[in-house]
Structure formats: structure tokens, C-alpha cells
Amino acid sequence: MINLEFSVRPDQGDPSGFDLGDMTITGDLGAADSRGHYPDQGMMIYLTVPLLLYGLGRILRGEERRLRFIGIDTSFRVDFHRNKKGVSLSANRNKITNIEVAELASAVLLAAEALADSSLPTLPEKDVAKSDYLNTLNDFKALTASISK
């Protein structure tokens, strides 16, 4: 079991691809949240999510066995390890979950699409972060569909 949430922090002025946001991952063995830390672990969320999708794509396709994911402009880190049973996730050496590949892909896709639907429309049309996010999301969506078959 896994639940992911990506969010944009309020009150940052005009929306920008550099806006700060947070990541929350909850599994059956634990959780990781970028909120409430000192120093702050918020991240440039519109740049971080595509980086995560790209890195996870390499894990899901079997090109890499490990991903030490650190968001953009943060020290927040989540470790992914591909094993015979799927993928294990941990943060700060604490297990979050062990999950099947297809379930992980679907959960990450769902969270990335939710952020895209709720917040990307507020970014300027020519914002490079917006187009990169959408392109990476489309690639990840195709990968998720191929894994789920």
C-alpha cells in the first residue's frame, strides 16, 4: 500500500515553475513528509516531480536497481530499491513500504496527475517547468500503461 501527495505551498506571489511545494509518501510500514522540518525541506515542486518520474522510470524499466531521490533545492530524500518482489521505499533509513512495480507506477502517476490538474493551469503558458512537467508526465503515463498490461 502506498499513498503519495504533491502540493504547492500557498502565498508565494505570482505562480511560477520555481514555486515551493511538498511531498508526502505514506506506506504500510511508515511515512515521509517534507513538511515540518528545520531546516525547511520544501522543494521546487514543478521541477522535482518530473525528476522523480524520470528516475522512477529507470527503476520501473529495470535500467537501474536503486534510486536515491533528492528533490530540487531540498535535502528531502527517498530511497527506492528494486528487488525480486518489486520496489522498497525508505526515508532516513526507515522503511515506508515494499510494493509491486505496477502499483508504485500507478500511485506515482495518480499523484503527479492530481498536481497537474490542480496547479499546473495556474502557471504561465510559456513556463518551461510547465511544458517539461507535461512532457515527462505523458512519458510516465505511457510507461505505466505498458507495465500494467
Side-chain angles (χ1 to χ4, degrees), residues 8-15 19-20:
V8 179
R9 290 183 176 177
D11 304 323
Q12 296 184 67
D14 291 336
D19 282 350
L20 294 179

Side-chain angles (χ1 to χ4, degrees), residues 46-98:
Y46 297 119
L47 301 177
T48 294
V49 172
L51 181 64
L52 176 64
L53 298 179
Y54 176 78
L56 278 180
R58 297 185 54 79
I59 293 278
L60 299 174
R61 286 189 297 273
E63 298 168 1
E64 299 285 338
R65 299 208 48 82
R66 294 181 185 270
L67 171 63
R68 176 175 279 177
F69 179 75
I70 302 171
I72 305 291
D73 198 31
T74 184
S75 61
F76 181 76
R77 180 178 115 191
V78 179
D79 295 306
F80 299 83
H81 178 243
R82 176 101 187 233
N83 54 50
K84 292 178 184 177
K85 295 180 181 179
V87 181
S88 67
L89 282 73
S90 60
N92 300 318
R93 298 186 180 155
N94 297 314
K95 276 270 203 236
I96 298 171
T97 194
N98 295 305

Side-chain angles (χ1 to χ4, degrees), residues 14-20 44-47 123-124 127-130:
D14 291 336
S16 156
F18 300 112
D19 282 350
L20 294 179
M44 292 182 185
I45 198 68
Y46 297 119
L47 301 177
L123 294 182
D127 193 307
V128 176
K130 182 176 187 173

